[in-house]
Amino acid sequence: GKALLTVYQHIDECLAELLALMPQEANCLVVSDHGMGGFPGAPRCVQPLLEATGVMVKAASLKSRATSPSLRQRLVAMLPWELRRRFRPLTPHDWTQGFTREHLGSIDFARSRAFSFLSLLTGVIWLNIHGRDPEGMVERGEVQQLEDDLIALFNDATDRVTGEGFVRAVWRRDELFTGPYRDMLADFHVE
């Protein structure tokens, strides 16, 4: 319906209030953290490439994995997003690298060596590592080979129409990030 128009009208009203309160010599910058254009090629290529190579396996049925929300889940859903994101699911089975069943319910973790959750600017990939992830199946000794295979897969990927590569870079997490919470981030970022 008119939801988007309503949002923009509300933003305009708030901006008008802000401008009325600002001194004449002040500058006001309006910045969007996300563009409104399309994203050709990547990152939409990440899940299909992982699936095509058998590295990520879709769950047989989304309905079989779905459950009705608990009272706790319904109450949490009513909270503002800033508070809601702080609540973790109740069991490790429902929590993989910070995402809930609703985000990753279509993935068969018991048969997936890696998995992806779409990000707006990069495709992100997590390895499904035994001992780290609830249904991890990749042994520590297999990690290096899987990493090398994934990097080659994305570096060699080409657009079917143009024949050109569309992946600028594949970054290992440790090449991009440092700090005590680095392990909460994806293992790979496909640009």
Side-chain angles (χ1 to χ4, degrees):
K2 296 193 290 184
L4 193 56
L5 177 61
T6 302
V7 169
Y8 282 123
Q9 287 171 337
H10 184 68
I11 291 170
D12 287 345
E13 291 167 8
C14 292
L15 186 57
E17 289 177 29
L18 177 66
L19 290 171
L21 296 171
M22 289 176 56
Q24 285 260 312
E25 66 276 4
N27 292 317
C28 178
L29 302 176
V30 178
V31 180
S32 173
D33 66 338
H34 298 293
M36 297 302 285
F39 291 106
R44 289 188 190 93
C45 68
V46 174
Q47 283 186 343
L49 281 173
L50 292 176
E51 289 173 31
T53 57
V55 174
M56 185 174 107
V57 178
K58 288 280 194 179
S61 169
L62 289 175
K63 288 183 182 178
S64 66
R65 295 182 70 123
T67 59
S68 60
S70 68
L71 175 61
R72 177 182 185 271
Q73 289 169 325
R74 290 192 305 260
L75 290 172
V76 168
M78 293 168 33
L79 293 172
W81 181 82
E82 295 82 9
L83 295 174
R84 196 170 57 225
R85 70 188 180 111
R86 296 179 186 188
F87 284 85
R88 289 170 72 176
L90 296 174
T91 65
H93 178 75
D94 295 335
W95 181 71
T96 301
Q97 297 293 68
F99 294 110
T100 61
R101 180 181 323 150
E102 289 78 22
H103 290 105
L104 301 171
S106 64
I107 301 168
D108 184 344
F109 288 101
R111 298 181 356 185
S112 296
R113 301 181 74 222
F115 57 95
S116 176
F117 179 77
L118 182 65
S119 170
L120 289 175
L121 301 177
T122 64
V124 291
I125 302 169
W126 287 266
L127 303 182
N128 195 14
I129 299 175
H130 181 77
R132 180 187 78 177
D133 300 307
E135 293 183 61
M137 64 175 297
V138 177
E139 298 298 333
R140 296 281 177 182
E142 301 172 316
V143 169
Q144 183 65 49
Q145 184 61 55
L146 180 55
E147 287 179 346
D148 294 344
D149 292 346
L150 289 173
I151 289 170
L153 172 68
F154 286 96
N155 283 334
D156 295 343
T158 57
D159 184 291
R160 280 184 257 169
V161 176
T162 66
E164 296 178 16
F166 51 82
V167 173
R168 283 193 197 125
V170 181
W171 303 94
R172 286 181 167 93
R173 174 187 59 221
D174 295 344
E175 294 175 314
L176 297 175
F177 304 103
T178 60
Y181 302 105
R182 177 181 68 222
D183 292 342
M184 294 179 72
L185 300 170
D187 295 296
F188 287 96
H189 297 260
V190 179
E191 180 182 349

